[in-house]
Amino acid sequence: MNSVPAPVSPGAKINLLDFDREALQAFFGEIGEKPFRAVQVIQWIHQRGVSDFAAMTDLSKPLRARLQETCEVRPPEIAYQQASKDGTRKWLLQVDPRNRIETVFIPEEGRGTLCISSQVGCALNCSFCSTAQQGFNRNLGVAEIVGQLWAARRELGEERKITNVVLMGMGEPLLNFAHVVSAMRLMTDDFAYGLSRRRVTLSTSGIVPAIDRLREVIDVSLAISLHAPTDALRDQLVPINKKYPLRALLAACKRYAGTENRRKVTFEYVMLDSVNDTPAHAKALVRLLSGIPSKINLIPFNSYPNTPYRCSSEDVIERFSALLQQAGLITTIRKTRGSDIDAACGQLIGKVSARDPRKFRLQAVGS
Ligand code: SAH
């Protein structure tokens, strides 16, 4: 995680967006520079959004020249962008000649949330998620993950502030562990983005051993894509459940919640008509989560071409929510944002050259 990435090819420049603070300090040590220079450079790059070494005026001229020659600050390029009527912004980022990912900014009263991706495609094959349809292509590097924040901040300028980051875009973040952790370290580093740990949320389908490792290395908010209250149903919707069933998953959530003042874990639950939305499901969910400090986020299902699922009706969602609330569970219903520009959960469109032939069925990327 903190090893110094080598240039891809001889003569290629080293992208400093790939380094968290510790890694940059190690890099500066290796090239014979004082480690505190790394802190100055991190501040220039991430706090001030500067990519031109010549502008880093508190570094000596020879160091600036040296960095200019061997290093670069290179975020993913913006291939396309859109703005929704409701203020949601969406960027399609070109991460290499064959692959694009999407990043979405969602402004709300008093906060601005950036939803970022961690992989190109996804290997997990959740039955209701459009990303699954295109298969897995590759992990994103640190520069490509934190670069989404770097680029979004540059694009938003003074106009809107990013106060929260959610890893709820494409991919399973815990299957790209080292890169995701380094990127989150930068997000929460006071010398970089300085976001509060509570305002950086990692969402996972439930890779149990990685939840435990996460707890040991960084303290961020955790969201679990639960979607079903029983193993039988969750096996169908989120197939990784066959490997890490509910009992093991919820035990890991308890351990995670226990680390910091009984911090609450968020459980995401996509509302699928007649699949997981009956009062019996709500009651089973209440039983399942008893004893875990939790918040539940009900997500209206966003449709996409060729999906067999439909979203539960508003009434059904309200009733489901009321049952959870009556049982004392903190429950919110996620507002659908940016649907006019296809930026809502499960509506993101990316062009991905997946290896999996399923890509020919659908070229939509879920969030
Ligand atoms: N792989 C991680 C990160 C993705 S987060 C995870 O599973 O948590 C994206 C969230 O949106 C997940 O909760 C996912 O289950 C949900 N989602 C996927 N497709 C959706 C759709 N079509 N409509 C609504 N939510 C969807």
Side-chain angles (χ1 to χ4, degrees), residues 106-170:
I106 306 141
E108 280 171 296
E109 192 69 28
R111 70 171 174 187
T113 303
L114 192 71
C115 176
I116 66 175
S117 299
S118 56
Q119 298 180 314
V120 185
C122 187
L124 290 181
N125 216 8
C126 298
S127 63
F128 56 89
C129 178
S130 54
T131 302
Q133 309 281 320
Q134 59 184 23
F136 173 71
N137 195 310
R138 70 169 175 87
N139 280 332
L140 293 177
V142 180
E144 293 166 331
I145 301 170
V146 84
Q148 296 171 60
L149 176 52
W150 195 92
R153 236 191 25 183
R154 179 194 60 199
E155 293 304 306
L156 292 167
E158 295 301 304
E159 179 197 336
R160 293 297 315 215
K161 216 170 141 67
I162 297 169
T163 59
N164 295 58
V165 174
V166 294
L167 279 108
M168 294 186 185
M170 284 169 79

Side-chain angles (χ1 to χ4, degrees), residues 2-54:
N2 291 318
S3 62
V4 177
V8 213
S9 57
K13 289 188 171 183
I14 294 171
N15 188 358
L16 296 191
L17 284 178
D18 267 320
F19 297 90
D20 61 21
R21 175 147 51 102
E22 220 177 293
L24 196 64
Q25 281 170 337
F27 173 68
F28 273 55
E30 267 178 36
I31 63 169
E33 295 288 342
K34 296 264 186 313
F36 76 88
R37 295 286 174 212
V39 175
Q40 289 174 305
V41 171
I42 290 264
Q43 285 175 304
W44 280 110
I45 296 176
H46 298 286
Q47 272 180 4
R48 305 187 189 113
V50 169
S51 56
D52 177 6
F53 296 109

Side-chain angles (χ1 to χ4, degrees), residues 25-310:
Q25 281 170 337
F27 173 68
F28 273 55
E30 267 178 36
I31 63 169
E33 295 288 342
K34 296 264 186 313
F36 76 88
R37 295 286 174 212
V39 175
Q40 289 174 305
V41 171
I42 290 264
Q43 285 175 304
W44 280 110
I45 296 176
H46 298 286
Q47 272 180 4
R48 305 187 189 113
V50 169
S51 56
D52 177 6
F53 296 109
M56 302 185 179
T57 46
D58 56 5
L59 305 179
S60 69
K61 280 212 171 124
L63 176 56
R64 279 186 256 168
R66 191 175 179 195
L67 292 176
Q68 199 92 51
E69 212 170 288
T70 54
C71 301
E72 62 184 350
V73 177
R74 186 167 46 81
E77 271 168 44
I78 296 174
Y80 183 68
Q81 56 176 308
Q82 270 180 297
S84 157
K85 292 200 289 280
D86 68 14
T88 300
R89 302 268 305 262
K90 182 175 85 166
W91 296 278
L92 192 60
L93 301 174
Q94 191 83 43
V95 288
D96 63 51
R98 295 169 52 205
N99 291 303
R100 290 171 173 187
I101 54 162
E102 291 202 348
T103 303
V104 178
F105 175 73
I106 306 141
E108 280 171 296
E109 192 69 28
R111 70 171 174 187
T113 303
L114 192 71
C115 176
I116 66 175
S117 299
S118 56
Q119 298 180 314
V120 185
C122 187
L124 290 181
N125 216 8
C126 298
S127 63
F128 56 89
C129 178
S130 54
T131 302
Q133 309 281 320
Q134 59 184 23
F136 173 71
N137 195 310
R138 70 169 175 87
N139 280 332
L140 293 177
V142 180
E144 293 166 331
I145 301 170
V146 84
Q148 296 171 60
L149 176 52
W150 195 92
R153 236 191 25 183
R154 179 194 60 199
E155 293 304 306
L156 292 167
E158 295 301 304
E159 179 197 336
R160 293 297 315 215
K161 216 170 141 67
I162 297 169
T163 59
N164 295 58
V165 174
V166 294
L167 279 108
M168 294 186 185
M170 284 169 79
E172 169 47 55
L174 290 183
L175 292 180
N176 184 13
F177 193 87
H179 292 163
V180 162
V181 167
S182 279
M184 292 192 304
R185 287 213 165 108
L186 282 165
M187 291 169 200
T188 54
D189 187 338
D190 282 340
F191 293 109
Y193 297 92
L195 293 176
S196 136
R197 283 153 213 285
R198 280 175 298 115
R199 289 169 176 267
V200 174
T201 303
L202 182 145
S203 176
T204 178
S205 56
I207 314 295
V208 167
I211 294 174
D212 284 319
R213 272 165 70 210
L214 187 70
R215 174 171 59 89
E216 282 158 17
V217 298
I218 192 168
D219 175 28
V220 291
S221 293
L222 182 67
I224 303 287
S225 291
L226 190 65
H227 308 316
T230 61
D231 279 322
L233 183 55
R234 196 164 190 269
D235 282 351
Q236 288 170 32
L237 300 177
V238 185
I240 193 74
N241 193 69
K242 292 178 200 153
K243 189 160 181 194
Y244 304 115
L246 285 170
R247 233 180 107 98
L249 177 59
L250 294 175
C253 291
K254 259 191 191 163
R255 291 191 288 275
Y256 200 90
T259 52
E260 176 97 348
N261 305 325
R262 303 296 288 161
R263 134 127 33 122
K264 290 187 175 59
V265 173
T266 299
F267 291 96
E268 297 159 278
Y269 195 98
V270 66
M271 296 301 293
L272 303 171
D273 181 31
S274 309
V275 173
N276 64 355
D277 65 350
T278 67
H281 290 118
K283 283 174 199 149
L285 192 55
V286 168
R287 277 196 302 277
L288 187 73
L289 296 181
S290 76
I292 301 174
S294 46
K295 285 186 283 198
I296 300 177
N297 194 205
L298 301 178
I299 314 175
F301 172 68
N302 289 306
S303 195
Y304 53 90
N306 302 331
T307 174
Y309 296 105
R310 277 167 306 150

Side-chain angles (χ1 to χ4, degrees), residues 90-92 100-102 134 170 341-343 346-352 363-366:
K90 182 175 85 166
W91 296 278
L92 192 60
R100 290 171 173 187
I101 54 162
E102 291 202 348
Q134 59 184 23
M170 284 169 79
I341 56 164
D342 291 340
Q347 284 193 318
L348 303 185
I349 295 169
K351 193 168 147 288
V352 179
Q363 287 253 326
V365 178

